[in-house]
Amino acid sequence: MSVIDTEATLHEAHRDNHTHRDVNGGWLRPAVFGAMDGLVSNLALMTGVAGGAVSHHTLVITGLAGLAAGAFSMAAGEYTSVASQRELVQAELDVERRELRKHPTDEMEELAALYVSRGVEPALAREVATQLSKDPEQALEIHAREELGIDPDDLPSPTVAAVSSFGSFALGALLPVLPYLLGATALWPALVLALVGLFGCGALVSRVTARSWWYGGLRQLLLGGTAAALTYGLGSVFGAAL
């Protein structure tokens, strides 16, 4: 194999092993948080009500109401949160855009000084900053990355966050209610299905993190199970008191 072929193979191997997942998208956090919150909150709500010895009909209505209320609340909250964050970023970008227009030389010197602080030779840093500052939009993108730590072309979408949150919360909250909708009359089928769902969600999330699947699954199982046990106990106390 020639040197050129060897280098091409190495470059191809590096490219295949050096790709990264999208860590800036607006869907993963609300989807994960929504599914976990839907499972835990609705499971805790239903076990708390069940602890008060209510009727089967009341328990089902409680679960469905918790699903609907939580899903709409999560979607509205995520939309408002991400939209506000996006508007804040846009405002800061407008500030940077005005500075680049009014004081281009000062902004270029600021960028050069930043590269110097990172170990680049002053002359080279100034040359790089000069080249990058020729295109106003490119200069804005570079300054936004370096000063604000954001990519102007990859801002999270409020709509994506809201839809992801709504769907994942509803799916998670459905698990504790599903056995009752299929004819169950006792709490334990809903409890088992919800706990299995918690373990599965935790294990699934570990696929996009550095944690092992069993660690992620057990962590969510422990957290969700603890919440359900505590609310069941509180429901029993309140039910007896009332």
Side-chain angles (χ1 to χ4, degrees):
M1 181 180 294
S2 66
V3 174
I4 295 179
D5 291 337
T6 301
E7 290 181 352
T9 301
L10 290 174
H11 291 164
E12 182 177 355
H14 175 73
R15 183 180 65 250
D16 293 341
N17 293 313
H18 201 69
T19 56
H20 296 283
R21 293 180 289 252
D22 178 16
V23 298
N24 293 320
W27 66 271
L28 180 59
R29 185 189 64 84
V32 171
F33 181 66
M36 298 301 182
D37 192 26
L39 256 170
V40 174
S41 64
N42 219 29
L43 175 62
L45 174 64
M46 293 181 66
T47 52
V49 173
V54 299
S55 67
H56 172 271
H57 179 74
T58 300
L59 192 57
V60 173
I61 293 299
T62 298
L64 292 176
L67 185 157
F72 282 112
S73 176
M74 285 287 294
E78 280 294 333
Y79 186 92
T80 303
S81 174
V82 175
S84 299
Q85 179 186 7
R86 188 183 180 96
E87 290 163 3
L88 174 61
V89 170
Q90 293 289 1
E92 292 301 312
L93 289 176
D94 288 340
V95 171
E96 192 64 35
R97 189 178 285 108
R98 287 195 300 271
E99 290 300 311
L100 285 168
R101 185 174 62 252
K102 293 179 179 178
H103 309 287
T105 302
D106 291 340
E107 289 294 315
M108 184 186 67
E109 293 292 343
E110 182 180 311
L111 189 60
L114 178 63
Y115 290 141
V116 169
S117 70
R118 294 183 177 179
V120 180
E121 292 292 333
L124 179 58
R126 186 178 182 83
E127 178 63 24
V128 171
T130 301
Q131 292 293 326
L132 293 176
S133 299
K134 289 183 177 179
D135 183 351
E137 288 304 313
Q138 178 177 258
L140 175 64
E141 180 179 343
I142 296 297
H143 280 273
R145 288 177 182 273
E146 298 293 348
E147 297 178 25
L148 303 176
I150 59 173
D151 183 352
D153 297 324
D154 191 26
L155 300 179
S157 166
T159 302
V160 170
V163 171
S164 299
S165 182
F166 182 93
S168 58
F169 186 99
L171 183 61
L174 179 63
L175 288 184
V177 189
L178 189 59
Y180 288 98
L181 297 178
L182 296 177
T185 57
L187 178 63
W188 69 264
L191 185 62
V192 169
L193 182 59
L195 293 178
V196 169
L198 281 169
F199 183 89
C201 285
L204 184 62
V205 169
S206 70
R207 299 282 296 178
V208 294
T209 66
R211 295 291 188 180
S212 61
W213 64 270
W214 58 265
Y215 177 89
L218 288 176
R219 179 174 62 181
Q220 292 307 132
L221 180 63
L222 178 62
L223 293 173
T226 301
L230 290 174
T231 52
Y232 183 85
L234 290 173
S236 299
V237 172
F238 294 152
L242 298 175

